[in-house]
Amino acid sequence: MSQTLSAATLLAVPLAPLAGSLIAGILGTAFGGNRIGRTASHTATILGVFIAFVLSALTLKSVLVDGARFNQTLYEWMVVGGLKMEVGFLIDSLTAVMMCVVTFVSLMVHLYTIGYMHDDDGYNRFFSYISLFTFSMLMLVMSNNFLQLFFGWEAVGLVSYLLIGFWFNRPTAIFANMKAFLVNRVGDFGFILGIGLIAAYAGSLNYGEVFAKSGELAKLGFPGTDWMLITVICIGLFIGAMGKSAQFPLHVWLPDSMEGPTPISALIHAATMVTAGIFMVARMSPLFELSDTALNFILVIGAITALFMGFLGIIQNDIKRVVAYSTLSQLGYMTVALGASAYSVAVFHLMTHAFFKALLFLAAGSVIMGLHHNQDIRWMGGVRKYMPITWITFLIGSLALIGTPFFSGFYSKDAIIEAVHASHLPAAGFAHFAVLAGVFVTAFYSFRLYFLVFHGKERYDQNPDAHHDHDHHHGHGHDDKPHESPWVVWLPLVLLAIPSVVIGAMTLMPILFGDVFKGVIHVDAARHPAMAELAEEIHGWLPMGLHGFVTAPFWLALAGVAAAYYMYMVNPALPAAIKRMFQPVYTVLDNKYYLDWFNENVIARGVRMLGTGLWKGGDRAVIDGLVVNGSWKVVGWVAGAVRRLQSGYLYHYALVMILGIFVLMTYFVWLNK
């Protein structure tokens, strides 16, 4: 253990945003008497996150340059039997990378929020929430045990609930945050079952101790079945990741969560919370490597999400929802990489995606501000000349998203496609097809969005809903021309655009084949050779970038861009004709594969019927009617009968005694021989 990492410094990383959150949330709201104003609230929270970012960057340097490591318990909460419940930190390269990503994106979102939420009454409350979110996420990634992991896991879920329903007087926001909360509870049920099995059979919640016993766990069967225990544990943990990282069929909450303000869409749904599941599986690589069944399951789920969520992005008209479906699709790519045992590639894509997706969300928010809070891309067009900074940064983000050679998204996305191709698992064939087809789909909907917003005929003055602001806290006239956002909004866009271009090339070789994740991520190369085969194909960022121009993904992406340009710039009547031609397909996509209908009308209604049945049949009829009311009626009847026997006459009692003796003598003398 290196001495260069001190517990006090590491403790300051999550506590600084927490302190900022408490200052803004208590002193800056009615709860604490509104003692401080807006400036003090955003200064306290931004300072907290800035401190966390600086310390995270220094920690990353110590880990990568000096080889520093930290793994120890800071506080022992309690011991139950032999099971220790502790608060502790595990700081290695995986944690340090996540800390930097979380704090940097959070810092950009905090700066951006100053401009975006300027006119909102809940300004201080919003800053408090996003700082609390940063604290929760840091506790999740820095934990060295499953208990603390679960605390952070549930804390980010709670804060996302508060943020999605931030505008709590809007019914759609209330529905969306309840949906997110309930769907995540389904995933968390699987997650806690996995943790429970680990605690039961490994006898510990500490990562290191559990990993040390992974070989023993792999030999055990699940009681009462012929399943392997390790498979059940891994699938349980991954179901938790399916909820948090929005994988099919637990993805339904994420598009609806766009009801929250745009900054939170960037924070939760691009860079941090939705990647928690990906981080968790990468952290648990010593366990997942022992179960091919679990890896195949992950591959299939990831492939379905990557391809079929992309299809839904094609028909969306809300600017934020298009970006949200692209997030779902990219999370599918990361999941596929995990299934192919390319954990480092998944984390690599997590990192590059965090920058360009946060950029796209914040740029979308800038467009919404510039167009006086219109979110419908059908009523945009020609925005490029009014918002040059937003335009160029949005274009950079889109090019990174579709995997344009030399942009950051290219390196991570192509590495995933190659890794899946190299995988020998049965599900790898389907996954490879899905991620390849997903390239065309991603390019098509991304540039459909780009062309409709920034190019073509200006349509912003034709919006029939212009008088009804989507974000209720603003009230602009609909006849005003679009305008560039203030510097506090466009500065984070520029700062996010830089890593969206360069971070992939800079970190490709160290992360994938260097020593960055050595000893942190474990891969059984004999059973899962994908990474070994990848190392033979990739020889540096420049050769990979140049080779990218002759590969199938590049041509598929180019075809997607060309198709979007032709359909929305050259021949805008074609999409409507295709829609009429394939109306049944459009209806299925428009209804999101009827998953929402199924959840609401089958699962939710079934659960409500079960609850009503238990209430009326069980509670009212059986417990109240039969047990409670029935028992006092029986007691009353027995008491009435006994009352008649208690006459008070001595000869009645003597007669009963004689009869009793006669019955007993009859039984013992004649019947019981």
Side-chain angles (χ1 to χ4, degrees):
M1 191 176 301
S2 173
Q3 298 302 310
T4 56
L5 293 177
S6 75
T9 306
L10 293 172
L11 204 54
V13 175
L15 291 184
L18 180 63
S21 173
L22 292 172
I23 291 168
I26 296 173
L27 300 178
T29 62
F31 181 74
N34 289 314
R35 294 175 186 271
I36 60 172
R38 291 184 166 211
T39 305
S41 291
H42 72 229
T43 304
T45 51
I46 291 171
L47 185 63
V49 175
F50 179 71
I51 291 168
F53 170 62
V54 170
L55 293 176
S56 297
L58 293 171
T59 303
L60 183 65
K61 177 198 169 280
S62 296
V63 168
L64 296 183
V65 178
D66 306 331
R69 292 288 187 273
F70 184 92
N71 184 13
Q72 73 182 49
T73 299
L74 301 178
Y75 173 69
E76 192 173 277
W77 181 34
M78 61 177 167
V79 179
V80 181
L83 193 66
K84 290 181 181 178
M85 299 189 182
E86 304 166 328
V87 176
F89 290 156
L90 167 60
I91 308 299
D92 53 22
S93 51
L94 179 59
T95 304
V97 166
M98 286 296 296
M99 284 162 66
C100 285
V101 169
V102 168
T103 52
F104 179 73
V105 172
S106 179
L107 183 60
M108 295 299 104
V109 168
H110 275 71
L111 287 172
Y112 179 93
T113 301
I114 297 173
Y116 192 87
M117 300 295 287
H118 183 262
D119 298 329
D120 198 280
D121 294 336
Y123 186 88
N124 294 354
R125 178 165 60 93
F126 189 82
F127 270 101
S128 175
Y129 286 173
I130 56 177
S131 253
L132 185 61
F133 180 88
T134 310
F135 158 75
S136 306
M137 195 66 198
L138 286 167
M139 288 299 285
L140 188 156
V141 298
M142 293 170 76
S143 64
N144 74 342
N145 62 83
F146 285 97
L147 181 73
Q148 192 177 323
L149 174 74
F150 191 72
F151 163 78
W153 197 267
E154 294 302 313
V156 291
L158 170 65
V159 185
S160 80
Y161 170 83
L162 295 171
L163 283 162
I164 295 165
F166 181 77
W167 289 314
F168 50 78
N169 51 1
R170 279 167 43 183
T172 50
I174 299 303
F175 182 83
N177 74 350
M178 189 58 74
K179 187 175 181 178
F181 190 80
L182 291 174
V183 171
N184 271 282
R185 294 296 69 74
V186 175
D188 291 351
F189 181 68
F191 190 53
I192 202 161
L193 282 179
I195 293 173
L197 286 170
I198 288 171
Y201 286 92
S204 176
L205 291 170
N206 185 278
Y207 293 163
E209 292 173 13
V210 171
F211 297 159
K213 293 182 179 178
S214 58
E216 298 170 31
L217 293 174
K219 296 172 185 172
L220 299 173
F222 189 65
T225 67
D226 55 354
W227 304 339
M228 297 299 294
L229 177 68
I230 196 77
T231 298
V232 178
I233 288 172
C234 289
I235 288 176
L237 292 175
F238 181 67
I239 288 171
M242 283 166 65
K244 200 65 74 192
S245 293
Q247 296 297 294
F248 176 90
L250 300 181
H251 68 277
V252 292
W253 67 269
L254 195 139
D256 286 27
S257 65
M258 296 298 109
E259 288 295 332
T262 301
I264 208 54
S265 301
L267 190 57
I268 293 182
H269 313 124
T272 51
M273 187 181 105
V274 289
T275 57
I278 309 297
F279 162 79
M280 184 271 295
V281 176
R283 173 63 77 203
M284 302 304 144
S285 59
L287 300 178
F288 281 87
E289 279 300 280
L290 299 168
S291 175
D292 281 7
T293 309
L295 291 175
N296 276 301
F297 179 67
I298 293 170
L299 267 175
V300 170
I301 294 292
I304 293 170
T305 310
L307 182 57
F308 288 92
M309 296 305 112
F311 288 146
L312 295 181
I314 294 171
I315 66 155
Q316 299 299 317
N317 294 316
D318 183 302
I319 186 170
K320 283 168 66 177
R321 283 182 180 258
V322 178
V323 186
Y325 278 109
S326 89
T327 301
L328 282 174
S329 183
Q330 297 308 303
L331 287 165
Y333 274 84
M334 295 175 212
T335 306
V336 164
L338 295 172
S341 291
Y343 305 99
S344 54
V345 180
V347 175
F348 183 40
H349 193 52
L350 183 161
M351 179 188 70
T352 60
H353 173 263
F355 296 120
F356 64 73
K357 188 52 59 71
L359 167 61
L360 283 171
F361 265 119
L362 296 184
S366 178
V367 169
I368 294 167
M369 284 179 72
L371 289 169
H372 313 303
H373 293 264
N374 164 39
Q375 293 189 196
D376 195 325
I377 59 176
R378 291 171 295 184
W379 308 113
M380 296 183 185
V383 175
R384 181 182 81 239
K385 62 184 178 189
Y386 299 108
M387 305 180 72
I389 300 171
T390 303
W391 162 63
I392 196 72
T393 51
F394 195 99
L395 179 59
I396 288 169
S398 299
L399 289 169
L401 171 63
I402 70 169
T404 309
F406 296 108
F407 284 76
S408 63
F410 160 76
Y411 292 104
S412 52
K413 203 168 182 178
D414 262 40
I416 291 173
I417 295 167
E418 291 296 324
V420 178
H421 184 61
S423 175
H424 296 173
L425 290 173
F430 167 63
H432 186 246
F433 164 76
V435 291
L436 263 182
V439 172
F440 173 83
V441 175
T442 302
F444 181 79
Y445 68 66
S446 301
F447 274 81
R448 168 183 177 262
L449 174 65
Y450 170 75
F451 289 131
L452 282 175
V453 173
F454 293 101
H455 294 270
K457 194 171 73 173
E458 296 176 10
R459 299 179 300 277
Y460 58 84
D461 55 348
Q462 301 168 25
N463 184 5
D465 301 317
H467 292 287
H468 310 291
D469 292 327
H470 191 89
D471 290 358
H472 73 104
H473 61 296
H474 293 269
H476 297 277
H478 71 292
D479 296 322
D480 297 339
K481 287 190 180 294
H483 56 85
E484 186 61 90
S485 302
W487 73 269
V488 287
V489 171
W490 64 252
L491 180 64
L493 300 185
V494 174
L495 293 174
L496 283 164
I498 297 165
S500 298
V501 178
V502 302
I503 199 82
M506 286 169 60
T507 58
L508 170 72
M509 298 308 288
I511 286 183
L512 265 54
F513 312 112
D515 294 335
V516 172
F517 293 139
K518 193 175 181 182
V520 178
I521 288 171
H522 299 271
V523 178
D524 186 346
R527 291 170 62 192
H528 308 124
M531 286 305 295
E533 291 185 25
L534 210 59
E536 294 172 10
E537 294 177 18
I538 298 175
H539 303 292
W541 68 270
L542 186 60
M544 185 178 177
L546 292 170
H547 181 67
F549 289 107
V550 297
T551 57
F554 172 74
W555 293 105
L556 284 165
L558 191 62
V561 174
Y565 181 77
Y566 179 75
M567 288 172 70
Y568 294 96
M569 294 288 102
V570 179
N571 188 3
L574 185 59
I578 294 171
K579 179 184 169 183
R580 285 193 301 275
M581 198 182 299
F582 296 100
Q583 188 63 45
V585 177
Y586 178 84
T587 305
V588 170
L589 292 176
D590 194 38
N591 286 283
K592 302 175 230 175
Y593 306 118
Y594 291 97
L595 284 168
D596 281 340
W597 180 89
F598 180 81
N599 289 337
E600 288 167 29
N601 291 282
V602 177
I603 296 177
R605 190 169 288 180
V607 170
R608 279 203 306 273
M609 284 172 64
L610 178 65
T612 305
L614 290 171
W615 162 50
K616 288 188 175 177
D619 195 36
R620 272 191 180 174
V622 176
I623 297 172
D624 286 351
L626 192 63
V627 178
V628 177
N629 293 337
S631 60
W632 74 254
K633 284 177 181 174
V634 168
V635 169
W637 180 81
V638 170
V642 171
R643 198 182 299 119
R644 289 191 179 89
L645 296 175
Q646 296 286 357
S647 64
Y649 293 111
L650 188 60
Y651 54 82
H652 283 168
Y653 298 147
L655 178 64
V656 170
M657 286 172 67
I658 292 163
L659 287 171
I661 291 165
F662 177 74
V663 168
L664 287 170
M665 286 176 66
T666 304
Y667 175 77
F668 284 111
V669 176
W670 283 293
L671 300 176
N672 194 25
K673 289 182 177 178

